[in-house]
Amino acid sequence: MTIQIDIAMECPEWEQGMPEVESLIRAAVRATLGQVEEEEELEISVLLTNDDALRRLNRDWRGQDKPTNVLSFAALEEEGAPLVEGMPVMLGDVALAWETCVAEATEQGKALTDHVTHLMVHGTLHLLGYDHEADEAEAQEMEQLETAILAGLGVKNPYAESFEDNIAEGGRCGP
């Protein structure tokens, strides 16, 4: 399998605060796609940006005028999505917000690298059609897959410590 990962660094804090972010993203995407996808050539774009940019995207695409940690925009959601023979299959885009990622990692007592790895796995699974908001069974399947992929990357289960908090907030997935 060939995976093309295009990373746009719109916010310099990513590189300054996390110099290894590009290699971390590439490893997370490859591990995720290696677990669940069998296409020959795949492409994904990643935007490393800030809260203001993700707030605008969240407002314009989801109707929620607030920043968030990660957003995924799947390219293959439409049945008639164009596929060009001999070209990589474009899965879509994942965007991460620096300030929110740092704040969440700090608040949750997690290493920033582990939190960002989790968000990339989570966002990539969304590009593949996984949806934790659809129903409880799908949320559990997505969470189990995330946990297995993260374990393969040396990241502990992000849900183990916060399971009760997630349930109290009405959700299963943190991101």
Side-chain angles (χ1 to χ4, degrees):
M1 171 185 343
T2 303
I3 303 168
Q4 182 176 331
I5 305 165
D6 300 314
I7 301 173
M9 192 146 344
E10 188 177 90
C11 174
E13 285 84 353
W14 280 101
E15 193 167 40
Q16 295 164 3
M18 218 176 143
E20 72 283 14
V21 69
E22 287 194 37
S23 61
L24 182 142
I25 285 171
R26 292 180 195 290
V29 170
R30 284 189 176 102
T32 305
L33 296 178
Q35 286 287 319
V36 297
E37 199 56 45
E38 296 179 20
E39 295 287 336
E40 289 293 314
E41 291 187 58
L42 302 170
E43 183 176 352
I44 181 173
S45 293
V46 179
L47 175 63
L48 299 174
T49 192
N50 59 29
D51 276 1
D52 287 340
L54 244 62
R55 182 192 58 77
R56 286 190 302 274
L57 288 169
N58 203 18
R59 178 196 64 215
D60 294 349
W61 292 96
R62 298 180 68 226
Q64 297 184 23
D65 193 10
K66 62 182 181 178
T68 189
N69 51 16
V70 62
L71 288 174
S72 297
F73 300 95
L76 297 177
E77 285 184 342
E78 305 286 327
E79 280 192 33
L83 298 176
V84 179
E85 192 171 326
M87 297 296 291
V89 174
M90 178 57 174
L91 293 178
D93 307 308
V94 175
L96 294 169
W98 172 254
E99 298 93 339
T100 298
C101 289
V102 170
E104 288 176 346
T106 302
E107 179 183 299
Q108 297 169 19
K110 296 177 182 175
L112 181 58
T113 54
D114 289 354
H115 189 53
V116 170
T117 299
H118 176 213
L119 294 174
M120 277 308 306
V121 169
H122 185 87
T124 304
L125 287 173
H126 275 303
L127 296 183
L128 296 170
Y130 288 86
D131 183 4
H132 56 86
E133 295 176 4
D135 65 38
E136 184 66 20
E138 195 167 351
Q140 282 186 323
E141 179 185 2
M142 185 174 178
E143 185 176 310
Q144 288 170 352
L145 189 52
E146 282 178 42
T147 302
I149 293 166
L150 290 169
L153 291 167
V155 177
K156 68 179 184 174
N157 181 348
Y159 302 109
E161 296 175 17
S162 60
F163 180 76
E164 290 179 17
D165 292 338
N166 285 336
I167 295 301
E169 292 174 13
R172 299 266 311 155
C173 288

